[in-house]
Amino acid sequence: MPPGFRVSYRIDETKNRLLVTVRGAYEGAALIDALIDVYGQIDQPWSYDRVMDMRAADGFTTLPDLMRAAQALAEMAGSPPPPRKRLALISKDPLDKPRLAGIGDIFAKDYIQTFESLDEALTWLDTNPPEPV
């Protein structure tokens, strides 16, 4: 793992949200490993709406890495699949929005939106209830 790279999280039980912050330079595989480790520390991580703040991070995650993340979360959740949750990705990378539009199907259990600020992400979560199962 590159020096200075870290992933931290906190849970907002009141709003049923998992807030993950990624900082530093990273390689895609190391990021996914760290996220899988974080999810492994949390009871039922798939049951939360998630905010992933990547603004202080610098790196690129490949499609195989993203597929591995989706598979790991699906395996943790088990069967039958849990209801869909929302993921608000906060990023300064202008390519993240088009990338996510192209890969949204591998995260079939999530509604994903990309934002430039935490305020925008939280407003989306507060004002747009998840779609019914």
Side-chain angles (χ1 to χ4, degrees), residues 7-25:
V7 176
S8 59
Y9 74 92
R10 71 180 175 89
I11 295 174
D12 179 342
E13 294 288 350
T14 305
K15 296 200 175 193
N16 197 46
R17 291 184 187 151
L18 170 61
L19 295 101
V20 177
T21 303
V22 180
R23 290 185 171 84

Side-chain angles (χ1 to χ4, degrees), residues 20-118:
V20 177
T21 303
V22 180
R23 290 185 171 84
Y26 68 88
E27 296 172 4
L31 172 62
I32 299 308
D33 289 343
L35 290 174
I36 290 170
D37 182 55
V38 163
Y39 288 165
Q41 298 173 40
I42 299 167
D43 185 36
Q44 300 182 339
W46 58 87
S47 66
Y48 295 95
D49 283 324
R50 286 165 288 155
V51 176
M52 174 108 25
D53 189 345
M54 301 289 292
R55 291 174 293 175
D58 184 32
F60 181 78
T61 307
T62 66
L63 181 58
D65 291 329
L66 292 171
M67 292 177 71
R68 187 165 61 90
Q71 180 65 31
L73 192 58
E75 287 174 4
M76 286 179 193
S79 185
R84 290 180 76 169
K85 290 303 206 176
R86 298 168 295 166
L87 169 61
L89 175 68
I90 306 170
S91 174
K92 62 183 179 181
D93 185 341
L95 296 177
D96 277 340
K97 187 172 263 186
R99 273 189 213 124
L100 283 175
I103 63 160
D105 289 345
I106 68 169
F107 293 96
K109 295 298 172 203
D110 290 325
Y111 298 105
I112 303 172
Q113 291 290 322
T114 307
F115 301 93
E116 293 181 10
S117 75
L118 179 60

